[in-house]
PDB file of all heavy atoms in Angstrom:
ATOM      1  N   HIS T  48       2.379   8.052  15.085  1.00 94.00           N
ATOM      2  CA  HIS T  48       1.245   7.416  15.758  1.00 94.00           C
ATOM      3  C   HIS T  48       0.323   6.730  14.748  1.00 94.00           C
ATOM      4  O   HIS T  48       0.020   7.282  13.699  1.00 94.00           O
ATOM      5  CB  HIS T  48       0.466   8.444  16.578  1.00 94.00           C
ATOM      6  CG  HIS T  48      -0.029   9.607  15.772  1.00 94.00           C
ATOM      7  ND1 HIS T  48       0.791  10.675  15.455  1.00 94.00           N
ATOM      8  CD2 HIS T  48      -1.232   9.860  15.227  1.00 94.00           C
ATOM      9  CE1 HIS T  48       0.085  11.547  14.750  1.00 94.00           C
ATOM     10  NE2 HIS T  48      -1.137  11.070  14.588  1.00 94.00           N
ATOM     11  N   THR T 178      35.011  16.807 -15.058  1.00 59.00           N
ATOM     12  CA  THR T 178      36.454  16.757 -15.296  1.00 59.00           C
ATOM     13  C   THR T 178      37.145  15.680 -14.478  1.00 59.00           C
ATOM     14  O   THR T 178      38.195  15.193 -14.847  1.00 59.00           O
ATOM     15  CB  THR T 178      37.125  18.107 -14.970  1.00 59.00           C
ATOM     16  OG1 THR T 178      36.623  18.531 -13.695  1.00 59.00           O
ATOM     17  CG2 THR T 178      36.805  19.146 -16.010  1.00 59.00           C
ATOM     18  N   LEU T 181      35.046   9.786 -11.521  1.00 68.00           N
ATOM     19  CA  LEU T 181      34.608   9.378 -10.196  1.00 68.00           C
ATOM     20  C   LEU T 181      34.171   7.920 -10.167  1.00 68.00           C
ATOM     21  O   LEU T 181      33.546   7.425 -11.100  1.00 68.00           O
ATOM     22  CB  LEU T 181      33.417  10.239  -9.764  1.00 68.00           C
ATOM     23  CG  LEU T 181      33.738  11.693  -9.461  1.00 68.00           C
ATOM     24  CD1 LEU T 181      32.457  12.428  -9.129  1.00 68.00           C
ATOM     25  CD2 LEU T 181      34.707  11.814  -8.312  1.00 68.00           C
TER      26      LEU T 181
END
Side-chain angles (χ1 to χ4, degrees):
H48 57 279
T178 47
L181 290 177

